[in-house]
Amino acid sequence: QKEVEQNSGPLSVPEGAIASLNCTYSDRVSQSFFWYRQYSGKSPELIMSIYSNGDKEDGRFTAQLNKASQYVSLLIRDSQPSDSATYLCAVNTGFQKLVFGTGTRLLVSP
Amino acid sequence: DVKVTQSSRYLVKRTGEKVFLECVQDMDHENMFWYRQDPGLGLRLIYFSYDVKMKEKGDIPEGYSVSREKKERFSLILESASTNQTSMYLCASSLRTLAADTLSYEQYFGPGTRLTVT
């Protein structure tokens, strides 16, 4: 069983819609959770961190965490073509390492 | 802003060559990491270091070694490059912080080195 699972996509949404990206993890002691955005040919860029159950909002991005269900999600409101990228979910279990999912490719069409 | 730099964006080497990839961070981070990223396989950890001269194997250390002589610099060495080491190599660094009563290790990535071994 993979430790961090994401649907590879592509997830296609029209411009202006809400994109919903999901991630599940297997280790119940996981403590901190991250979303990275990676454009094609570029390196991952940290866009959101979340540590407590509930929602965390930053601009058009909202991260949601449910530790009981071992589920993390990222909502992107008012999606723009420039949001088209691969989104990586990463989980930290209390040590220095992060475990990454393989990413969900998001395509936002004009 | 966190700044992680890597010595080359693109590199072409021949089979059997010794290859050095360098990574430098300017934020006094304790932890540094080397990953490789391949289509369909995601990010795979090769080695990481949590202090000067300290190193830990990641998931795929075979064929690689690392060196950390100074806190800001972490080098990845391919002892004898092979074609199956053609990949995107990503360096990252992190600092332990306390956020919402939780230990957090946000990682910041360098721009990556696309290595081709022919």
Side-chain angles (χ1 to χ4, degrees):
Chain A
Q1 182 186 1
K2 289 184 181 176
E3 296 181 60
V4 178
E5 296 218 40
Q6 296 180 257
N7 189 318
S8 61
L11 172 66
S12 295
V13 300
E15 185 175 356
I18 296 174
S20 177
L21 304 159
N22 304 315
C23 170
T24 58
Y25 60 93
S26 59
D27 193 335
R28 286 194 171 274
V29 302
S30 299
Q31 297 179 352
S32 47
F33 307 85
F34 308 94
W35 284 99
Y36 288 81
R37 178 176 62 200
Q38 186 173 24
Y39 292 114
S40 180
K42 303 294 187 183
S43 61
E45 173 194 9
L46 179 65
I47 55 172
M48 290 287 283
S49 307
I50 187 165
Y51 309 101
S52 306
N53 281 326
D55 295 0
K56 179 181 177 184
E57 189 174 315
D58 184 359
R60 295 186 297 112
F61 298 100
T62 299
Q64 299 175 317
L65 174 60
N66 184 325
K67 290 186 179 181
S69 300
Q70 295 176 238
Y71 178 93
V72 193
S73 64
L74 179 70
L75 300 178
I76 306 174
R77 290 183 300 282
D78 189 23
S79 294
Q80 301 296 310
S82 58
D83 295 325
S84 298
T86 297
Y87 290 81
L88 305 175
C89 173
V91 174
N92 174 252
T93 59
F95 302 100
Q96 298 94 331
K97 296 188 290 184
L98 295 184
V99 179
F100 287 85
T102 52
T104 298
R105 187 170 165 225
L106 173 66
L107 296 175
V108 181
S109 54
Chain B
D1 279 354
V2 177
K3 186 80 171 176
V4 182
T5 57
Q6 295 184 228
S7 50
S8 305
R9 288 287 283 123
Y10 300 94
L11 208 53
V12 179
K13 295 291 181 181
R14 294 200 179 275
T15 301
E17 281 193 80
K18 191 168 186 176
V19 182
F20 293 86
L21 303 181
E22 292 239 303
C23 176
V24 178
Q25 51 94 4
D26 67 355
M27 290 304 293
D28 202 34
H29 284 181
E30 308 137 347
N31 308 304
M32 297 188 74
F33 305 82
W34 275 106
Y35 296 89
R36 64 178 283 178
Q37 188 175 36
D38 302 286
L41 297 177
L43 281 163
R44 293 183 290 169
L45 180 65
I46 304 171
Y47 267 97
F48 73 100
S49 169
Y50 53 89
D51 203 350
V52 174
K53 297 191 185 294
M54 306 303 287
K55 61 185 178 184
E56 292 278 344
K57 291 180 180 179
D59 301 318
I60 52 163
E62 297 79 17
Y64 304 94
S65 61
V66 290
S67 172
R68 193 169 182 198
E69 297 296 320
K70 293 185 177 181
K71 191 174 186 179
E72 68 271 18
R73 190 179 297 269
F74 192 34
S75 301
L76 179 70
I77 302 142
L78 285 66
E79 297 291 344
S80 177
S82 63
T83 55
N84 63 14
Q85 293 178 310
T86 291
S87 186
M88 170 73 100
Y89 287 87
L90 291 159
C91 175
S93 70
S94 76
L95 181 69
R96 186 180 68 180
T97 58
L98 191 63
D101 296 324
T102 301
L103 281 175
S104 174
Y105 295 93
E106 292 181 350
Q107 286 189 17
Y108 298 90
F109 286 84
T113 296
R114 187 164 293 281
L115 172 68
T116 302
V117 182
T118 61

